[in-house]
Amino acid sequence: MNQTASFSDPRLAELDGFTVTIDAAAERADIVLDRPPYNVISMGARDQLRLVFEALDEDPRVRVIVLSGAGEHFSSGGNIKGFLEASPEHVSKLAWNIAAPARCSKPVIAANRGYTFGVGFEISLACDFRIASETCQYALPEQKLGQIPGSGGSARLQKIVGITRTKQIVMRSKRISGQTAADWGIATECVADAELEAVVSALVEELRGFSPLAQRTAKKLLNDTDDALLTTAIELEGLNYSRLRQSEDFKEGVEAFHEKRKPAFAGR
């Protein structure tokens, strides 16, 4: 059963345009952008989202985090006027805040439908999995404002789809559909709009079935070696493999395999 999350940090006493609930039985936390109709993400919300991801990362009740938007759209992006009002110091922290899902050691799923623009696209790119509905449209429209993406959007996108397709999206402010995003490898998959929540819930359950320790290790390894030399990546993979060989979860996984039963991972 979902319960509204409470945080000890006074900066999270009143959330700015989003809600956070925890279903302890499902080991799931839901962050829902909720500023209708387009779920615009304010400057203050970016700071709070970082703090929430950090708090949920430390919460033992949570194994998987889901980021979604209320209604027909994930988010049309940021508060445009807020960029002019924000101090240079504040603006310099935007990319760090929006990268919070990537730094979080737990799996993070973005459920994208409708408009997923600007910072909405950028924070989704920082998640581990992007499940797009058939109504989803991704875009980085900053060129129309005389700007460029400022929270990691173009950098992450270029890693995924290469420079040619990134220029198409960034320099021409082109929208791409959820299906195209799946075809290009931006979205994990594209599903019927009515099935989005069910597919996300199934993915949460799938991820819960793995060792928490192995999941955390895999996520950090993949993120850390994304721009590493192949030889460095192989070396780090071997070191992490060796470390996991000593874990209780690995011992349990091997025993469960031979006993033909479902493993009961403890995260140790």
Side-chain angles (χ1 to χ4, degrees), residues 1 24 50 108 113 120 141 161 186 191 198 200 217 250:
M1 180 179 179
R50 171 181 63 82
V108 183
R113 60 160 44 97
V161 300
I186 297 170
V191 302
V200 168
T217 302
F250 179 68

Side-chain angles (χ1 to χ4, degrees), residues 20-62:
V20 183
T21 58
I22 294 175
D23 185 341
E27 298 179 300
R28 167 177 173 166
D30 279 271
I31 302 172
V32 182
L33 305 176
D34 193 6
R35 181 177 275 117
Y38 299 117
N39 300 327
V40 171
I41 301 173
S42 72
M43 299 296 280
R46 300 172 194 230
D47 296 327
Q48 289 189 326
L49 285 166
R50 171 181 63 82
L51 295 170
V52 165
F53 273 106
E54 291 171 354
L56 294 176
D57 203 11
E58 299 298 322
D59 194 320
R61 297 173 296 173
V62 177

Side-chain angles (χ1 to χ4, degrees), residues 123-186:
I123 197 168
S124 298
L125 286 168
C127 297
D128 304 301
F129 304 94
R130 285 163 292 283
I131 309 300
S133 93
E134 59 193 359
T135 70
C136 181
Q137 296 183 66
Y138 291 113
L140 293 171
E142 287 82 359
Q143 289 277 289
K144 294 179 179 179
L145 301 173
Q147 253 295 5
I148 63 170
S151 296
S154 57
R156 291 187 189 279
L157 199 56
Q158 187 170 338
K159 291 284 188 182
I160 298 170
V161 300
I163 191 169
T164 300
R165 284 173 169 167
T166 300
K167 284 181 177 178
Q168 173 83 342
I169 296 169
V170 174
M171 295 180 68
R172 300 181 67 190
S173 293
K174 286 290 187 180
R175 299 182 186 184
I176 61 169
S177 68
Q179 186 57 60
T180 297
D183 293 342
W184 287 5
I186 297 170

Side-chain angles (χ1 to χ4, degrees), residues 6-254:
S6 59
F7 303 98
S8 58
D9 191 325
R11 292 172 292 181
L12 297 175
E14 186 173 343
L15 300 180
D16 186 3
F18 66 97
T19 63
V20 183
T21 58
I22 294 175
D23 185 341
E27 298 179 300
R28 167 177 173 166
D30 279 271
I31 302 172
V32 182
L33 305 176
D34 193 6
R35 181 177 275 117
Y38 299 117
N39 300 327
V40 171
I41 301 173
S42 72
M43 299 296 280
R46 300 172 194 230
D47 296 327
Q48 289 189 326
L49 285 166
R50 171 181 63 82
L51 295 170
V52 165
F53 273 106
E54 291 171 354
L56 294 176
D57 203 11
E58 299 298 322
D59 194 320
R61 297 173 296 173
V62 177
R63 279 286 314 278
V64 183
I65 301 169
V66 177
L67 177 65
S68 64
E72 298 178 5
H73 303 286
F74 179 80
S75 173
S76 63
N79 178 6
I80 305 302
K81 189 178 180 181
F83 285 100
L84 297 176
E85 298 171 345
S87 68
E89 290 78 13
H90 194 177
V91 172
S92 70
K93 298 176 182 177
L94 295 183
W96 176 257
N97 287 340
I98 297 307
R103 292 194 305 274
C104 179
S105 67
K106 298 171 180 178
V108 183
I109 305 166
N112 299 136
R113 60 160 44 97
Y115 295 164
T116 306
F117 297 166
V119 69
F121 190 9
E122 291 178 301
I123 197 168
S124 298
L125 286 168
C127 297
D128 304 301
F129 304 94
R130 285 163 292 283
I131 309 300
S133 93
E134 59 193 359
T135 70
C136 181
Q137 296 183 66
Y138 291 113
L140 293 171
E142 287 82 359
Q143 289 277 289
K144 294 179 179 179
L145 301 173
Q147 253 295 5
I148 63 170
S151 296
S154 57
R156 291 187 189 279
L157 199 56
Q158 187 170 338
K159 291 284 188 182
I160 298 170
V161 300
I163 191 169
T164 300
R165 284 173 169 167
T166 300
K167 284 181 177 178
Q168 173 83 342
I169 296 169
V170 174
M171 295 180 68
R172 300 181 67 190
S173 293
K174 286 290 187 180
R175 299 182 186 184
I176 61 169
S177 68
Q179 186 57 60
T180 297
D183 293 342
W184 287 5
I186 297 170
T188 307
E189 60 181 304
C190 181
V191 302
D193 192 66
E195 297 175 4
L196 180 61
E197 282 76 19
V199 171
V200 168
S201 293
L203 179 55
V204 170
E205 287 304 303
E206 177 187 335
L207 294 171
R208 288 179 64 203
F210 298 112
S211 158
L213 181 60
Q215 286 267 287
R216 292 194 299 270
T217 302
K219 176 171 179 172
K220 188 172 191 309
L221 174 67
L222 292 168
N223 285 346
D224 289 350
T225 59
D226 186 40
D227 55 0
L229 293 171
L230 178 60
T231 52
T232 302
I234 291 173
E235 178 70 16
L236 289 172
E237 183 181 274
L239 290 171
N240 280 280
Y241 177 86
S242 178
R243 183 171 65 88
L244 286 175
R245 282 283 300 272
Q246 312 304 315
S247 70
E248 293 180 21
D249 275 1
F250 179 68
K251 182 175 182 291
E252 167 63 13
V254 171

